[in-house]
């Protein structure tokens, strides 16, 4: 069993997700008290995939997050650097074009995708700014990015309760349902150390994205950031 540290060495993060791949979707459902399904619906609305469009779903894991885009008629490419996750995903969705790739050096040409999206994976990439630049590079002019990521509750008392849950309640719950509970200790630590909503918006602008905006879900536990590539 492996767990990554906050320096986020790629091989450690990939190995950690390989270990949890089989039960990852179930574990997330339990730990988020079912909220992850609502968050996925909000991402699908924000991406607004259309028939014939090309969508990159980065850090797609087993491609649970990719299904709404495929159902909308888009050509969706689930991309992840955990081969274990990709294997489980391919077993479940054999028709999808699963692609192994590093978020800091994507294996795609410039200006390919109408929309790029990443849900709960950006904070696991070692170089956030480089990942945002790569997403920009592979997006068509006029295309859009949607990032769903754990963030920081905006109401102080709720933020305190939430952080207590992350560090105290989450590990024992993970021990009950996950094949690698130590991985969820890393995930809790990575959430606490992640930039807040305005800071991530600033990183998006720095990477070249325009019309950057965000909205909070579940009181700021999750933030949905959006941006566009200049036409």
């Amino acid at each position: 069993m492996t767990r990554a540290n906050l320096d986020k060495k790629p091989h450690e993060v990939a190995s950690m997700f390989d270990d949890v791949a089989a039960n990852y979707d179930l574990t997330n459902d339990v730990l988020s008290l079912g909220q992850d399904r609502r968050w996925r619906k909000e991402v699908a609305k924000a991406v607004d995939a259309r028939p014939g469009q090309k969508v990159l779903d980065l850090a797609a894991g087993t491609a649970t997050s990719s299904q709404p885009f495929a159902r909308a008629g888009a050509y969706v490419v689930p991309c992840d650097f955990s081969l274990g996750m990709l294997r489980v995903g391919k077993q479940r969705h054999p028709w999808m074009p699963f692609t192994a790739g590093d978020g800091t050096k994507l294996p795609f040409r410039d200006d390919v995708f109408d929309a790029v999206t990443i849900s709960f994976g950006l904070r696991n990439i070692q170089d956030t700014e480089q990942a945002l630049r790569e997403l920009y590079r592979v997006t068509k002019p006029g295309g859009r990015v949607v990032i769903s990521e754990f963030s920081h509750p905006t109401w102080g008392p709720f933020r305190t309760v939430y952080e207590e849950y992350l560090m105290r309640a989450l590990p024992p719950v993970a021990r009950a349902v996950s094949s690698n509970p130590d991985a969820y200790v890393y995930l809790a630590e990575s959430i606490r150390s992640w930039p807040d909503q305005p800071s991530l918006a600033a990183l998006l602008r720095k990477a070249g994205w325009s019309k950057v905006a965000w909205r909070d879900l579940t009181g700021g536990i999750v933030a949905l950031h959006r941006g566009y590539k200049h036409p």
Side-chain angles (χ1 to χ4, degrees), residues 170-186:
L170 191 148
V173 173
R175 273 194 291 277
V177 295
S178 173
S179 54
N180 183 5
D182 282 348
Y184 287 86
V185 175
Y186 155 78

Side-chain angles (χ1 to χ4, degrees), residues 166-212:
L166 273 180
M167 300 313 295
R168 295 190 183 185
L170 191 148
V173 173
R175 273 194 291 277
V177 295
S178 173
S179 54
N180 183 5
D182 282 348
Y184 287 86
V185 175
Y186 155 78
L187 291 174
E189 290 172 350
S190 70
I191 291 167
R192 284 185 67 176
S193 66
W194 184 246
D196 64 12
Q197 292 89 321
S199 300
L200 181 54
L203 290 177
L204 276 157
R205 292 187 197 100
K206 186 177 177 185
W209 297 98
S210 62
K211 299 181 186 174
V212 173

Side-chain angles (χ1 to χ4, degrees), residues 7-160:
D7 57 5
K8 303 177 187 176
K9 291 188 173 71
H11 68 279
E12 290 181 359
V13 176
S15 178
M16 181 186 73
F17 279 103
D18 290 347
D19 284 346
V20 300
N23 295 321
Y24 186 70
D25 294 320
L26 171 64
T27 306
N28 285 348
D29 207 34
V30 172
L31 293 177
S32 71
L33 309 177
Q35 286 293 300
D36 62 314
R37 283 170 283 180
R38 182 191 156 220
W39 298 334
R40 278 199 296 273
K41 284 180 185 172
E42 295 300 322
V43 170
K45 277 192 229 168
V47 171
D48 192 24
R50 306 288 176 86
Q53 289 188 335
K54 291 180 180 174
V55 177
L56 171 63
D57 188 12
L58 184 58
T62 60
T64 298
S65 57
S66 306
Q67 299 315 302
F69 315 132
R71 285 195 293 271
Y75 177 79
V76 53
V77 178
C79 181
D80 203 286
F81 70 167
S82 164
L83 297 180
M85 285 282 197
L86 294 172
R87 274 193 291 269
V88 172
K90 196 69 175 174
Q91 289 166 4
R92 294 177 186 171
H93 313 290
W95 62 91
M96 299 198 80
F98 285 88
T99 303
D102 181 340
T104 63
K105 195 175 181 182
L106 292 172
F108 307 109
R109 298 190 315 274
D110 297 356
D111 307 331
V112 172
F113 296 99
D114 298 282
V116 294
T117 183
I118 180 168
S119 293
F120 310 109
L122 186 60
R123 74 182 192 288
N124 298 320
I125 298 175
Q126 192 171 36
D127 188 336
T128 304
E129 292 185 38
Q130 175 61 17
L132 294 175
R133 286 193 295 269
E134 275 292 276
L135 286 170
Y136 187 87
R137 178 184 66 78
V138 302
T139 302
K140 290 178 181 177
R144 57 208 180 275
V145 64
V146 175
I147 297 169
S148 177
E149 187 54 89
F150 289 111
S151 196
H152 300 270
T154 50
W155 187 49
F158 177 49
R159 183 165 58 244
T160 301

